[in-house]
């Protein structure tokens, strides 16, 4: 793997492990572009401050964790990541009262990297399933087993 590919893969992993899961704002300032945009269930969350509002809400209400399973980096400008998102619903979230729900769901994110920083992340994720699990208080594991060979790629 070339240095640029390694850098792209490292950015994707650190985005999930340190910024999203741990809420490391100092690292976010280092790896996210000033005009960063996150496309999840909403039309786009523009800027690091707005992104952290969502991150902190999810971490506080859902005890969310993101586990990067497979990161694919093509070059210094792009990466994709298959990630498992796990959570336990402990406080009100988007109008859903906590009912003891827990979940483990797969998602795929694509990253646009410009000048060595993450400029854009686009999430592909079944938000409706997560909302159903929260609403009904279910405990569900939809994560996908990853073969050790694929996880090393």
């Amino acid at each position: 793997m070339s240095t640029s590919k390694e850098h792209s893969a490292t950015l994707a992993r650190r985005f999930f492990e340190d910024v999203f899961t741990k809420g490391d704002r100092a690292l976010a300032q280092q790896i996210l572009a000033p005009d960063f945009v996150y496309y999840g269930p909403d039309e786009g969350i523009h800027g690091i401050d707005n992104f952290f509002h969502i991150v902190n809400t999810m971490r506080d209400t859902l005890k969310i964790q993101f586990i990067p399973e497979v990161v694919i980096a093509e070059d210094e400008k792009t990466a994709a990541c298959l990630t498992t998102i796990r959570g336990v619903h402990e406080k009100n979230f988007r109008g859903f009262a906590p009912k003891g729900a827990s979940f483990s769901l797969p998602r795929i994110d694509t990253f646009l990297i410009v000048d060595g920083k993450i400029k854009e992340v686009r999430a592909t994720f079944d938000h409706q399933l997560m909302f159903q699990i929260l609403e009904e208080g279910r405990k569900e594991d939809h994560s996908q087993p990853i073969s050790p060979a694929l996880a090393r790629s």
Side-chain angles (χ1 to χ4, degrees), residues 86-113:
R86 291 191 179 122
V88 177
H89 189 193
E90 295 186 346
K91 296 180 183 174
N92 284 332
F93 177 74
R94 291 193 172 202
F96 297 104
K99 297 179 182 175
S102 64
F103 56 89
S104 183
L105 302 165
R107 61 183 275 156
I108 296 174
D109 293 80
T110 57
F111 292 78
L112 174 63
I113 300 163

Side-chain angles (χ1 to χ4, degrees), residues 2-3 15 17 26 32 44 50 52 56 69 72 84 89 97-98 100 106 112 114-117 145 153:
S2 71
T3 304
F15 175 79
E17 292 172 348
L32 302 179
N50 292 329
F52 261 87
N56 291 337
E69 306 287 356
I72 300 168
T84 299
H89 189 193
L112 174 63
V114 176
D115 296 329
K117 293 189 174 199
S153 62

Side-chain angles (χ1 to χ4, degrees), residues 11 14-15 18-20 22-33 48-49 51-52 55-56 59 117:
L11 286 175
R14 297 206 66 199
F15 175 79
D18 299 320
V19 174
F20 227 139
K22 295 177 184 173
D24 188 335
R25 192 174 181 92
L27 178 66
Q29 299 285 22
Q30 294 173 24
I31 70 170
L32 302 179
I48 295 171
D49 290 339
F51 175 69
F52 261 87
V55 166
N56 291 337
R59 290 176 59 248
K117 293 189 174 199

Side-chain angles (χ1 to χ4, degrees), residues 69 82 142-147 150:
E69 306 287 356
L82 170 63
H142 292 268
S143 58
Q144 303 295 315
I146 305 296
S147 75
L150 184 58

